[in-house]
Amino acid sequence: MLDPATVFDGSGPLEDPLTDETLRAVEAQLGYQLPAAYVDLARRHNGGAFARAAHPAPSRTSWAGDHVGVFSLAAIGRTADFSLCGELGSAFWVAEWDYPAIGIYIVDCPSAGHDMIALDYRSLGEPAVVHVDQERNYQITVLAPDFKTFVADLIEESEYNVDD
């Protein structure tokens, strides 16, 4: 179980804790079942800014040579701008920025829309967490095999050479 006290930066959640009714409605609208670890986290702290602002990447991205920057996790809901079904939710990135329709965009990055983190549902089973790099022709790079691993692997950006 992911601990909201270590996942988020101490600021408030983007939406109220997730209810069963909201979960059913959001999953129906998105057309995907969300990972259990994401749902569990949203029941206790529904979206918000990450405490650790970087994730290792296996290859160069437009952000850096060895990692991606991350800012916040989308709430599971529709009232906050950055919730899965909000004004700047997953559908926005596909419709307005031409991001590939591979699943659900769940994490915004410090690049102001030039890269995003998504749950990739193109394969069977639990969705992988991927980085989609708009600056590199929407290059898709797998960051973690699942949501829980992705969050557990977040680190302080200060551990990287940010001049790279």
Side-chain angles (χ1 to χ4, degrees):
M1 182 178 297
L2 298 170
D3 180 2
T6 61
V7 172
F8 298 105
D9 71 355
S11 62
L14 299 176
E15 291 203 24
D16 291 336
L18 180 65
T19 64
D20 290 340
E21 179 182 350
T22 299
L23 176 62
R24 283 190 299 273
V26 166
E27 287 181 333
Q29 184 173 339
L30 295 171
Y32 297 104
Q33 182 175 356
L34 294 165
Y38 189 5
V39 171
D40 177 68
L41 186 60
R43 289 190 189 283
R44 294 176 290 125
H45 189 105
N46 199 359
F50 286 115
R52 295 164 294 173
H55 193 282
S59 58
R60 174 167 281 291
T61 69
S62 61
W63 185 255
D66 55 1
H67 71 283
V68 296
V70 297
F71 183 65
S72 63
L73 177 65
I76 301 174
R78 57 176 41 94
T79 60
D81 285 345
F82 191 56
S83 62
L84 294 181
C85 296
E87 186 177 334
L88 301 176
S90 189
F92 168 82
W93 298 104
V94 175
E96 299 295 324
W97 281 64
D98 295 324
Y99 273 85
I102 60 170
I104 305 170
Y105 290 88
I106 61 167
V107 174
D108 63 339
C109 299
S111 66
H114 294 276
D115 60 332
M116 294 290 294
I117 308 296
L119 295 171
D120 183 352
Y121 285 85
R122 294 177 296 167
S123 299
L124 295 176
E126 179 133 9
V129 178
V130 299
H131 176 252
V132 182
D133 199 335
Q134 185 251 4
E135 293 294 316
R136 292 178 168 244
N137 199 29
Y138 298 100
Q139 176 182 331
I140 298 171
T141 303
V142 175
L143 298 176
D146 56 60
F147 178 79
K148 186 175 181 179
T149 302
F150 169 77
V151 173
D153 289 347
L154 291 171
I155 61 173
E156 296 290 337
E157 189 160 32
S158 62
E159 293 186 33
Y160 288 105
N161 177 5
V162 294
D163 294 329
D164 184 20

